[in-house]
Amino acid sequence: MSSLQIGIVGLPNVGKSTLFNALLKKQVALAANYPFATIEPNVGVVEVPDERLQILAEVTKDSEKLRALPPLKYALVEFVDIAGLVKGASQGEGLGNQFLANIRQTDAICHVLRHFSDPQVLREGSVDPEQDLAIIRTELQLADLETLQKQRQPKGAANKEDLAKWAVVQQFLQRIEAGQSLAPQSETEQLVARELCLLTAKPEIFAINVDEQDLAKTSEITALFAANLQVKKAQIVIISARIESELATLAENDQELYMSDLGIEESGLSRLAKVAYDTLGLQSFLTAGEIEVKAWTIKRGATAQAAAGVIHTDFSKKFISARVASFIDFTKLGGWTACKDLGKVRQEGRDYLMQDGDVVEFMIGK
């Protein structure tokens, strides 16, 4: 499937570029303490942590009698670091026009909201997370309002599809004028939102950038901001961009010691990648062999034929069947041979709905 992007957005100096640098584990974005330090969008691909791959690789090594573990290939999410937004962006203030053009191309939005107290970092329009988000959403709503107002009613012998789309445009206008969400509620609404690249129809996640000492209070802060921002807890990630930047420079063992000292079990970046993956409605199926053990990305509800096409387009065209074992059966029993002997391998057709963690071999024709 084509790469899916999460746009990292927020007011200037809330920690976007610092977070992006940590995501890539190298300084590829300019993290400077002044507005508009990020001029062009920086794009980077980030691995989604998945502990199943290591287990699968160990089973594969034993079952295939390999000398070393096969390489691990994780699922990926693409993050885009986008220039800081300011009030009036929808009217071209700051880098508003560029900001809006860049964010239209993303599949979801990660709002970075400032909740750290460092006086050395200048506040450029930032007041508190709630007001910061209100500023950003207002600018996005104004941009969407302009887009919707430019649409023209179908004339003459318009077909049912065009009339249905126009009805959705009118519904969207009513909602946005009332300050309501444009989250699509039907397939037609999803289609119109995609065609018009509506900003406020995109899924959202929220990275609350906090002080180091607040990391041990993640649950408490998550509950607080879920209530204050009126969003789901599952959409929120509590993170210290500065700490994540420091963690990114350490070896794995040192990272674990540092996190232990901070009173956290998992890095904020790992949680952010997982939340982003879930927000995009994605899941993974797994393949295991001596060449590699890999997590492949598909949409939830994808069929076996569509999943085969993710590996290679020809696999979708020449699909015959899929041999499927659950991750639990595959790892508990020790690989394909044992699963087959004990009847734990299913032969599925093209319309089989893939489940997260399915271990799969595709049968492909010539």
Side-chain angles (χ1 to χ4, degrees):
M1 65 189 299
S2 58
S3 60
L4 295 166
Q5 293 186 335
I6 303 279
I8 300 177
V9 304
L11 298 177
N13 295 347
V14 297
K16 299 185 311 302
S17 291
T18 302
L19 177 60
F20 184 77
N21 291 338
L23 277 163
L24 298 183
K25 298 186 178 179
K26 54 184 176 181
Q27 301 295 310
V28 297
L30 178 60
N33 183 23
Y34 53 86
F36 313 131
T38 306
I39 304 301
E40 297 294 334
N42 297 282
V43 180
V45 175
V46 181
E47 292 180 340
V48 180
D50 191 337
E51 60 277 4
R52 295 175 301 190
L53 292 189
Q54 180 70 29
I55 300 170
L56 201 58
E58 292 171 357
V59 169
T60 301
K61 175 180 178 294
D62 292 341
S63 63
E64 300 286 346
K65 296 180 172 57
L66 302 176
R67 293 183 178 181
L69 292 179
L72 308 183
K73 299 292 182 66
Y74 291 88
L76 303 173
V77 171
E78 197 168 274
F79 283 87
V80 185
D81 182 27
I82 297 174
L85 175 147
V86 295
K87 188 175 183 179
S90 60
Q91 304 302 316
E93 290 295 325
L95 296 174
N97 292 332
Q98 184 175 335
F99 168 91
L100 295 172
N102 292 334
I103 196 174
R104 286 189 197 282
Q105 306 309 313
T106 64
D107 298 280
I109 297 173
C110 173
H111 295 280
V112 180
L113 303 174
R114 177 172 177 165
H115 191 54
F116 62 87
S117 57
D118 188 347
Q120 300 299 315
V121 179
L122 301 176
R123 284 187 178 273
E124 187 67 27
S126 176
V127 179
D128 56 51
E130 294 83 2
Q131 292 191 47
D132 290 359
L133 181 59
I135 291 172
I136 295 169
R137 279 181 166 168
T138 296
E139 296 304 322
L140 299 183
Q141 286 175 339
L142 289 172
D144 280 350
L145 181 61
E146 182 179 359
T147 297
L148 290 166
Q149 289 174 337
K150 288 180 179 178
Q151 306 309 305
R152 294 292 175 259
Q153 182 174 5
K155 295 182 179 179
N159 58 39
K160 291 183 178 180
E161 183 178 336
D162 288 338
L163 291 173
K165 290 180 180 179
W166 176 247
V168 169
V169 168
Q170 297 306 298
Q171 292 168 10
F172 279 163
L173 273 170
Q174 292 176 6
R175 284 191 222 166
I176 207 163
E177 288 171 351
Q180 298 173 353
S181 169
L182 293 189
Q185 299 173 6
S186 68
E187 289 186 9
T188 304
E189 288 192 359
Q190 289 178 353
L191 177 62
V192 173
R194 282 197 302 268
E195 287 185 352
L196 299 182
C197 297
L198 296 177
L199 304 170
T200 54
K202 297 179 183 293
E204 297 175 304
I205 58 178
F206 306 87
I208 312 296
N209 192 7
V210 302
D211 291 317
E212 172 185 334
Q213 61 270 24
D214 288 334
L215 289 175
K217 300 183 290 184
T218 292
S219 297
E220 178 184 335
I221 297 174
T222 298
L224 173 66
F225 282 109
N228 290 352
L229 302 177
Q230 296 184 344
V231 299
K232 297 177 181 178
K233 291 181 181 179
Q235 294 174 271
I236 295 177
V237 179
I238 307 302
I239 195 167
S240 168
R242 185 178 67 81
I243 293 298
E244 295 300 326
S245 186
E246 294 176 3
L247 280 170
T249 66
L250 300 177
E252 186 174 344
N253 289 341
D254 292 333
Q255 288 182 17
E256 292 176 359
L257 290 173
Y258 193 12
M259 287 190 293
S260 178
D261 290 341
L262 293 171
I264 56 177
E265 296 180 357
E266 186 178 25
S267 76
L269 295 185
S270 293
R271 287 181 282 111
L272 180 62
K274 290 177 181 177
V275 169
Y277 201 65
D278 186 62
T279 297
L280 288 172
L282 306 176
Q283 65 182 26
S284 297
F285 71 89
L286 311 173
T287 56
E290 57 184 87
I291 296 177
E292 66 180 17
V293 170
K294 184 168 182 175
W296 300 84
T297 300
I298 54 175
K299 283 280 190 180
R300 285 196 290 265
T303 64
Q305 184 175 22
V310 172
I311 297 178
H312 196 288
T313 53
D314 283 350
F315 283 19
S316 177
K317 298 174 185 176
K318 301 176 182 180
F319 180 94
I320 296 175
S321 65
R323 292 193 294 183
V324 182
S326 72
F327 172 78
I328 293 176
D329 286 340
F330 191 93
T331 53
K332 182 178 179 180
L333 298 177
W336 284 116
T337 300
C339 285
K340 291 172 187 174
D341 292 343
L342 294 172
K344 296 297 184 179
V345 177
R346 308 187 309 275
Q347 200 82 9
E348 301 288 0
R350 64 183 61 206
D351 295 327
Y352 167 69
L353 297 181
M354 299 290 292
Q355 302 300 307
D356 185 57
D358 277 346
V359 185
V360 187
E361 281 187 339
F362 292 108
M363 303 299 105
I364 306 300
K366 295 182 180 180

